[in-house]
Amino acid sequence: MATTHKISSTDLIMANLSWNGRTMASIAKSDFTSIDDVVRLITTMAGKCVGLAKLTIRNKTQGWAINMGISTASSMSIKNLTKPMLPQKGTQLSIPF
């Protein structure tokens, strides 16, 4: 999924994090070396919104874009986003969009 997209430090990255239909953070800059760097910065910028959020990352230089659902209630890591999400006993299954 997200790990197939490469980022160079000179690429122009545009990212948007929306929660409940509202934009919580938006960036357009270079100097990223990985998608994890983008996720870390934009979730820090968004503050303490809790729940499921939609993250869109676009690499304008290379011409690709990805959309992913992320949980803003726990620590963010691209490694956590690619693991299968199995429901725990007494909880509801969360499916990213």
Side-chain angles (χ1 to χ4, degrees), residues 11-97:
D11 292 348
L12 177 59
I13 303 299
M14 303 169 83
N16 183 60
L17 182 71
S18 58
W19 174 76
N20 254 2
R22 293 178 290 185
T23 298
M24 302 305 290
S26 185
I27 55 173
K29 66 176 271 195
S30 298
D31 298 328
F32 293 110
T33 57
S34 70
I35 291 178
D36 201 30
D37 292 343
V38 179
V39 172
R40 191 175 11 264
L41 177 62
I42 201 153
T43 54
T44 300
M45 291 173 59
K48 294 189 178 191
C49 58
V50 176
L52 190 62
K54 180 181 178 184
L55 175 61
T56 302
I57 301 174
R58 177 177 177 227
N59 186 323
K60 189 174 179 183
T61 306
Q62 294 182 22
W64 55 259
I66 56 172
N67 291 301
M68 63 181 81
I70 59 172
S71 171
T72 58
S74 60
S75 68
M76 297 294 161
S77 172
I78 197 65
K79 294 174 186 111
N80 293 337
L81 298 176
T82 58
K83 291 180 183 174
M85 294 180 290
L86 301 175
Q88 301 296 322
K89 185 175 182 178
T91 63
Q92 182 176 351
L93 177 62
S94 175
I95 301 173
F97 52 96

